[in-house]
Amino acid sequence: MHLLAGTVRRNTMKPCARVLVFFLLASSAAALKLPDFVKKCSLKDPEFNACALKNAREALPHIVNGLKKFHIPVLDPLIVKEIRAVEGQLNMTGLDIKAEGMRKAILESISFDFDQKKVVMEVVVPEAHFSGRYEVSGKLGALPIKGKGTLDATFYHLYVKYVTTFDLTKHADGQVYLEPKKYKVEFDAKNMKAHLGNLFNGNKVLGDTMNKFINENWRTLKKELGQPTYDALGSIAHKILSDAARMVPYKDLFDDTE
């Protein structure tokens, strides 16, 4: 998945041309049915969440490979063009990040609360590896940090909790869709190893000291930089889910919908 920085351009398209493009796009965005490997659960099933978990676990290996027509990219490796995290005096950007490990992810739980219109999912990734490039400046903890180079980080037993509210919205095609709205993402890990290359313009002494500091104090540091990073990573997962949900009408997601 590529998240590209947008540029603003003045719209010089004539009104009639814009109308034509609108109808072409609308016709190409026809509602889809769920793939055959995704089994549906009945809303009348008293064990609905257990059914949803079982079916989601069976579908996950297929989804990891990507579903282009549902706007789901290949998830392992997942390629992210740019991700930014800003907190206090620290500004960090990840570029061309490759995230690996989802193929071995374990879906621990999934629950739907249709009265509160809320979905909660918990996932554990045994070993999540991130590589790419970074740019950082500011202060990490009480220490100044500056650099631009390669990034390599591995999280062991990475726990991810994703919570989103949703609305049921009627679209222009007359169909009602489940639309994820506000979300929250929590991350935790049993251990982490990371290395930032070329810190302090290649100063080996300062770079080695900072990398040692990060690896020895990552649990404390994640409280400082963690949430902005989690929110940025969560926004990627939320966008994938939102784009996919817009492709299948609500009535086709579950059995016994009204």
Side-chain angles (χ1 to χ4, degrees), residues 83-132:
I83 183 171
R84 293 181 180 273
V86 180
E87 177 70 13
Q89 301 181 65
L90 186 67
N91 190 323
M92 187 167 184
T93 302
L95 301 167
D96 298 320
I97 300 299
K98 178 191 288 187
E100 301 170 281
M102 273 300 294
R103 290 188 188 279
K104 296 184 178 180
I106 301 165
L107 184 58
E108 298 251 297
S109 71
I110 182 169
S111 64
F112 288 78
D113 186 327
F114 291 98
D115 293 328
Q116 298 294 321
K117 293 185 177 179
K118 183 171 72 172
V119 183
V120 181
M121 288 185 282
E122 294 178 293
V123 178
V124 170
V125 184
E127 188 171 311
H129 182 241
F130 299 85
S131 59

Side-chain angles (χ1 to χ4, degrees), residues 219-239:
R219 287 192 177 278
T220 301
L221 295 174
K222 78 172 185 176
K223 297 177 181 178
E224 178 178 347
L225 182 60
Q227 197 56 52
T229 305
Y230 302 161
D231 291 342
L233 289 171
S235 69
I236 298 170
H238 189 72
K239 183 179 186 304

Side-chain angles (χ1 to χ4, degrees), residues 49-65:
N49 286 331
C51 173
L53 177 60
K54 176 180 179 296
N55 292 349
R57 283 175 170 171
E58 292 176 356
L60 187 58
H62 301 277
I63 294 173
V64 167
N65 291 324

